[in-house]
Amino acid sequence: MTTRANPLLLLHTWGGDAATWEPALRHLGAGGRHLKALDLPGHGARAAEPFTVDGAVGTALSASASGYEDASGYEDVVGSQDVGGPEDVLRPVDVVGSGLGALVALALAQRHPDRVRSLTLVGFPPAGGAEAARRPADTRAALNRDGAALFARNYVDSTLLSADPAHRDLLRRSMAGTRPEVLIDSLRATLGWTAHARPGPVGLPCQVLRGARDHRVPAAAADALAERLGGGSAVVPGAGHVAYLDEPEAFAAALAAFHDGLRTAPAD
């Protein structure tokens, strides 16, 4: 089955990789929609690379303008999904980013608006203040003390709400396989996101999506960012900070409602 719907570009959470989208893919790809789930630099199959925001935006830009089978992580995650024909390649993408991926998604939309039809930011913006300022140093200390495997287990246990052990294992494995310097560099970039992306109108349809039980992003912060970007906000029932792993079906439903609204909106 093929679809004329715009491709969906999926950018993973901090410490994640393309494979962490697996539980959500069968819901997101309903109707034969084309999907691209990427490994950002330093993550997954690209673990040997350094992480920079510019490099991550370049990765997303290349994926948005290339054949689907060329996107790093795409074939491993999507498997037998139909990759479409040449007429689909130049269609602007609907970009979805969670956490770290939300920063990359926002920067992509602001720097290359011609390649983006709509923008969804999930589990974003990160909390600020003194505690946030200490997080990179505290994270480095915990990695040095506990090692990657235990650090990843503790992070997942304190963050994911999904009771499905397979969902938890996906994030645990990807985080444990991410080099400490990449975790620190990408965390600093996420916490300092306003140095890489503007907290102002993006000039295209956007929404800020938050898990109803996200203890890392306050509802007021998500709503305020949506207003500043000129978009709307929505909630994924039952989900926490990584909504696409906690409640993949409800997450896909929230995205579908947003994207269906774009298709049915009257022309200006």
Side-chain angles (χ1 to χ4, degrees):
M1 171 184 282
T2 59
T3 178
R4 292 297 296 168
N6 296 64
L8 190 59
L9 180 63
L10 305 169
L11 306 178
H12 59 75
T13 193
W14 180 67
D17 62 10
T20 61
W21 288 99
E22 277 184 1
L25 287 178
R26 69 178 180 275
H27 305 293
L28 294 170
R33 188 171 195 187
H34 303 312
L35 307 172
K36 301 182 183 184
L38 305 186
D39 289 322
L40 295 174
H43 300 78
R46 306 181 66 176
E49 302 177 23
F51 176 85
T52 66
V53 173
D54 288 347
V57 171
T59 296
L61 178 63
S62 295
S64 75
S66 68
Y68 306 110
E69 69 277 10
D70 294 331
S72 177
Y74 175 76
E75 290 183 310
D76 289 341
V77 175
V78 179
S80 62
Q81 285 275 358
D82 176 21
V83 298
E87 73 279 6
D88 293 311
V89 170
L90 297 180
R91 294 175 67 81
V93 294
D94 290 317
V95 183
V96 180
S98 176
L100 171 64
L103 161 60
V104 177
L106 179 56
L108 173 68
Q110 291 180 336
R111 299 180 193 184
H112 304 282
D114 58 313
R115 292 303 313 135
V116 179
R117 184 184 74 140
S118 74
L119 177 68
T120 298
L121 308 180
V122 190
F124 200 77
E131 182 177 354
R134 292 194 300 267
R135 275 194 67 193
D138 290 347
T139 298
R140 185 179 294 280
L143 283 163
N144 290 339
R145 180 187 66 243
D146 300 332
L150 180 56
F151 175 86
R153 178 175 294 278
N154 290 339
Y155 178 84
V156 169
D157 288 347
S158 67
T159 302
L160 283 195
L161 300 181
S162 174
D164 190 326
H167 295 190
R168 303 174 76 85
D169 285 346
L170 284 170
L171 184 54
R172 192 178 292 129
R173 284 198 301 267
S174 63
M175 182 168 281
T178 304
R179 290 180 295 123
E181 55 265 41
V182 168
L183 289 173
I184 299 299
D185 289 345
S186 57
L187 178 61
R188 285 199 179 109
T190 305
L191 294 171
W193 67 276
T194 55
H196 307 283
R198 301 184 304 277
V202 292
L204 52 83
C206 67
Q207 73 167 343
V208 177
L209 194 57
R210 176 181 175 273
R213 300 169 61 192
D214 187 347
H215 66 282
R216 297 184 182 276
V217 177
D223 291 343
L225 179 61
E227 183 175 358
R228 294 177 75 179
L229 295 177
S233 58
V235 172
V236 180
H241 184 58
V242 189
Y244 71 89
L245 270 172
D246 277 335
E247 296 289 344
E249 186 171 5
F251 175 82
L255 273 186
F258 175 52
H259 294 150
D260 287 348
L262 301 183
R263 286 193 288 272
T264 59
D268 292 334

